[in-house]
Amino acid sequence: MSLKARFLALAWQLRVAVMVIFLEALATSGVALFFIFGLLTDAKLVATLIAICVVVSGAAAFLFFVARQLVFRKRWARSAAMFWQLIQIAVAWNSFAGEVTGYYFGVWLLATAFLGLYFLFNKTVVEQTNEQIDRD
């Protein structure tokens, strides 16, 4: 069964949760590309930019993997997605202390985090990802 067929076979609540995690992964990879571009064009803080690029690229890869494993209904993927939502809330909390654009960024992060948490703790999603034996 293909990944697309598995995705379409999921309950709509789990599909929304997967889409939220996937969109967060796309946004995180966009941030990684922004820092990679900064690394290539501005060589003032090379070591710091390399570290940021590695961390943000790793986070994006992690999120893509979690979204894919949610399609396969892995129980641990729901926990990993919840962990990411909690990290997002922590980052959003600190973004309210800056400029006006920080407020928009913080509200966006909080909205997607709470939307993701709502669907991850939905009864249907918990039932579909609560397999006792990991077959795949």
Side-chain angles (χ1 to χ4, degrees):
M1 182 179 252
S2 70
L3 189 64
K4 183 178 179 181
R6 284 182 186 266
F7 178 76
L8 294 175
L10 299 175
W12 71 271
Q13 294 95 337
L14 185 53
R15 272 190 268 163
V16 170
V18 169
M19 287 188 286
V20 167
I21 301 298
F22 185 76
L23 289 175
E24 290 171 353
L26 285 176
T28 306
S29 60
V31 171
L33 288 175
F34 173 76
F35 282 118
I36 290 170
F37 179 73
L39 178 65
L40 297 175
T41 59
D42 187 21
K44 291 181 184 175
L45 302 169
V46 175
T48 304
L49 282 175
I50 288 173
I52 290 174
C53 290
V54 168
V55 169
V56 175
S57 298
F62 166 75
L63 285 175
F64 281 121
F65 185 67
V66 168
R68 183 179 186 277
Q69 294 305 310
L70 276 174
V71 172
F72 288 104
R73 300 179 182 184
K74 300 291 185 181
R75 183 174 39 176
W76 62 265
R78 193 177 74 237
S79 300
M82 185 192 74
F83 171 74
W84 177 256
Q85 303 309 319
L86 294 176
I87 295 227
Q88 232 178 288
I89 290 170
V91 170
W93 186 264
N94 289 327
S95 69
F96 289 120
E99 300 174 7
V100 176
T101 55
Y103 291 112
Y104 296 123
F105 183 68
V107 168
W108 172 255
L109 286 175
L110 284 177
T112 57
F114 287 131
L115 182 69
L117 283 173
Y118 172 77
F119 281 106
L120 288 170
F121 283 112
N122 191 305
K123 183 179 179 182
T124 307
V125 173
V126 171
E127 288 174 356
Q128 283 201 344
T129 58
N130 199 12
E131 188 177 16
Q132 296 298 324
I133 299 172
D134 195 14
R135 295 186 189 129
D136 293 332

